[in-house]
Amino acid sequence: MTNALDVVSLRAGYGAINVLWDVSLTAETGKTTVIVGPNGAGKTTLLRAIMGLVPVTAGDIRVNGQSRKGAKTWDTVADGVVMIPEGRMIFPDMSVEDNLMMGAFPRACRAGWKRNKAMVFDFFPRLAERRDQIAGTLSGGEAQMLAIGRGLMEQPRVCLIDEPSLGLAPVVVDEIFRILGQLRADGMTIILVEQNTSRALKIADHVHLMQSGKVVLSERGDAVDLDRLHALYFAHDA
Ligand code: ATP
């Protein structure tokens, strides 16, 4: 089967500051690919480069085998690739429901918005209860659910999810990982960036460790040697 996403020898950064050096990884269709690594390793930059939000200076990005390097962000979204930022990136002055509607903004999603909203409310009953609440008053966990819900409104085939457990209490992290596990069981292709390595490994089909803008370890989720992963994780110059 064609991979949902291939990142091939990617080099990208911010103007004169290069961040990603020759990064290659694949996300198999219907699988969960986890990217771990210390602060500043370039994980978020990688997701942003895939979405066309950071300039790519070399290499390629393929969606379902088709090169999408240089594609505009809206074209990537139309291809079914959606980035779910961490929960503080919701629209704080808008209601829960209006935030979800923003997720239905891409033209391809408008026809199905009622069905998608019903699906999101089924998935997150807490959001249904709070549909009229101003999003800025949600708890951290609810805001993260809203960020995921807004992404699901875009009818994604591939979800790039950036640090969904960031700053959340352990019991809320449990809930977020339960939801990710459910998405995975439903066959969603997921690329998950997480600092919570042990939790992320439990739902990982494939794991990539990034260090200083490079992928320094790529393994199947069930074959990861935690000692080796941790040794590389904490190495200053891997
Ligand atoms: P974290 O877990 O802390 O978010 P990360 O692995 O996601 O780390 P990035 O956020 O991708 O890392 O950052 C990688 C490098 O790129 C860092 O050195 C950071 O300072 C730099 N960087 C990030 N955003 C910008 C920007 N807009 N302009 C310039 N440099 C940036």
Side-chain angles (χ1 to χ4, degrees), residues 3-218:
N3 291 325
L5 191 84
D6 295 286
V7 173
V8 186
S9 302
L10 197 73
R11 182 187 273 244
Y14 306 91
I17 306 167
N18 196 67
V19 174
L20 303 179
W21 304 89
D22 199 27
V23 169
S24 295
L25 55 85
T26 59
E28 278 181 39
T29 303
K31 304 287 184 190
T32 295
T33 300
V34 167
I35 302 172
V36 296
N39 288 328
K43 307 178 298 296
T44 299
T45 301
L46 173 60
L47 299 190
R48 290 173 57 80
I50 293 168
M51 293 308 299
L53 294 166
V54 171
V56 168
T57 49
D60 201 4
I61 294 161
R62 295 184 196 136
V63 177
N64 284 324
Q66 302 286 315
S67 175
R68 305 302 285 145
K69 191 176 84 161
K72 299 290 181 213
T73 302
W74 52 84
D75 292 326
T76 305
V77 173
D79 270 351
V81 183
V82 160
M83 180 165 173
I84 296 174
E86 48 107 352
R88 280 172 298 176
M89 302 287 276
I90 55 175
F91 299 106
D93 298 327
M94 293 171 70
S95 71
V96 165
E97 190 158 18
D98 286 347
N99 263 276
L100 291 178
M101 292 311 297
M102 293 304 284
F105 188 71
R107 189 177 307 153
C109 313
R110 281 181 222 161
W113 70 267
K114 276 191 181 160
R115 190 186 61 239
N116 292 345
K117 192 172 67 172
M119 183 262 299
V120 169
F121 281 156
D122 273 355
F123 209 75
F124 298 107
R126 193 109 53 102
L127 295 184
E129 286 162 21
R130 293 167 184 273
R131 67 176 72 200
D132 296 322
Q133 190 169 325
I134 295 301
T137 64
L138 294 174
S139 71
E142 289 160 355
Q144 186 59 59
M145 288 175 202
L146 180 55
I148 296 172
R150 190 177 61 188
L152 295 180
M153 289 292 288
E154 296 176 58
Q155 300 175 312
R157 287 184 295 106
V158 182
C159 278
L160 314 182
I161 310 181
D162 197 9
E163 306 229 19
S165 73
L166 193 72
L168 300 180
V171 59
V172 186
V173 174
D174 287 347
E175 174 68 3
I176 295 296
F177 272 94
R178 189 190 62 72
I179 289 160
L180 296 178
Q182 198 175 330
L183 283 176
R184 178 185 183 226
D186 288 348
M188 181 71 76
T189 304
I190 297 173
I191 299 185
L192 172 67
V193 163
E194 252 302 330
Q195 295 219 23
N196 192 332
T197 311
S198 56
R199 300 300 294 266
L201 286 185
K202 294 202 173 89
I203 60 166
D205 294 297
H206 297 277
V207 180
H208 303 278
L209 170 64
M210 285 187 70
Q211 178 74 271
S212 307
K214 296 175 186 155
V215 174
V216 295
L217 182 81
S218 295

